[in-house]
Amino acid sequence: MTLLERFERCLNIPYVTLPNSADVAVERAGGTLYIYLEHSDGNEDWHNNLDFPAKPYRRMNDGVWYAHRGFVRVWKRIEDYLAPLAFDPTVRRIVTVGYSHGGALAVLCHEYVWYHRPDLRDLIEGYGFGAPRVIRGPLSPALARRWERFTVVRNLDDLVTHLPPRVLGYTHVGRLLEIGEKGRYSPIDAHRAENILAELVRSGQ
């Protein structure tokens, strides 16, 4: 499946809304579990987007690392919903896709399944289209490895992908794939789904 096809599916699949306005969709294709996370679609989503003080996020032997508090709040609602699906032993590959707010949640989802399914680590991949930054503070090599197979797709000049700002200690994880041309769109227009789609078509991704 191309990046264009993944993004189109993310935009068009029917979502289930959980508490905290957490929107998620899942599909199975044979042994592959696809997880989709929706962009902001209401006031509660925007409240969570702007609640960016970092929250400690614990993961056993790796000690404490920090993530965007609003995104963690939403993710915790989704985590309980996804756990029985992700832990199903018949699932042999997991792909997570999100856009904007959903791209931030995809960062946390990807780490979650990477951590809990060590048998699948070479078969877990994730994509955050127009995703904001989620993780705060320096990453150890061991921690950064969790996102080796995660890709942030940035349409050049997309304002959202530069938030929260680096000056507050936030950083992208995984691979940053830049598409488009600088100056083609305003910082806000570069984030619009139709313009990301256009640049994916132009780039043949």
Side-chain angles (χ1 to χ4, degrees):
M1 189 183 292
T2 66
L3 285 178
L4 175 63
E5 290 169 332
R6 295 190 195 286
F7 189 45
E8 288 178 325
R9 189 62 181 141
C10 185
L11 294 175
N12 296 312
I13 192 171
Y15 285 90
V16 173
T17 300
L18 307 175
N20 271 354
S21 193
D23 298 301
V24 60
V26 293
E27 283 186 324
R28 276 289 296 264
T32 300
L33 175 67
Y34 293 94
I35 302 169
Y36 296 93
L37 298 150
E38 193 178 28
H39 59 87
S40 303
D41 65 352
N43 291 336
E44 189 169 5
D45 283 343
W46 282 107
H47 169 74
N48 289 317
N49 292 348
L50 297 172
D51 187 13
F52 57 79
K55 175 185 177 70
Y57 196 96
R58 300 177 186 274
R59 272 290 183 262
M60 297 176 66
N61 295 334
D62 292 316
V64 179
W65 48 280
Y66 293 83
H68 184 294
R69 184 170 65 190
F71 296 141
V72 170
R73 181 187 305 118
V74 181
W75 165 244
K76 287 300 181 183
R77 294 293 190 178
I78 298 172
E79 182 180 309
D80 292 339
Y81 177 81
L82 287 179
L85 303 172
F87 296 163
D88 181 343
T90 67
V91 169
R92 304 310 305 160
R93 178 171 172 251
I94 301 176
V95 180
T96 302
V97 184
Y99 166 44
S100 190
H101 167 93
L105 298 176
V107 169
L108 298 172
C109 182
H110 180 86
E111 188 276 337
Y112 175 81
V113 295
W114 185 96
Y115 184 82
H116 287 286
R117 292 298 305 267
D119 56 318
L120 299 183
R121 285 179 179 168
D122 290 336
L123 297 168
I124 291 170
E125 57 191 276
Y127 303 89
F129 294 89
R133 299 180 178 117
V134 181
I135 309 302
R136 184 177 179 274
L139 298 179
S140 68
L143 185 56
R145 197 170 302 125
R146 299 182 182 194
W147 291 280
E148 280 182 342
R149 295 174 59 83
F150 188 88
T151 301
V152 175
V153 181
R154 169 191 282 168
N155 191 10
L156 282 175
D157 296 327
D158 181 345
L159 175 64
V160 171
T161 63
H162 293 278
L163 297 174
R166 285 178 183 265
V167 70
L168 296 181
Y170 281 89
T171 184
H172 279 300
V173 290
R175 179 174 75 116
L176 180 62
L177 174 64
E178 294 185 318
I179 59 175
E181 291 184 11
K182 198 163 185 64
R184 176 173 284 163
Y185 305 104
S186 72
I188 293 174
D189 285 343
H191 186 67
R192 297 187 191 281
E194 61 269 26
N195 294 328
I196 296 174
L197 285 168
E199 295 309 319
L200 289 170
V201 170
R202 283 192 181 98
S203 65
Q205 297 282 345

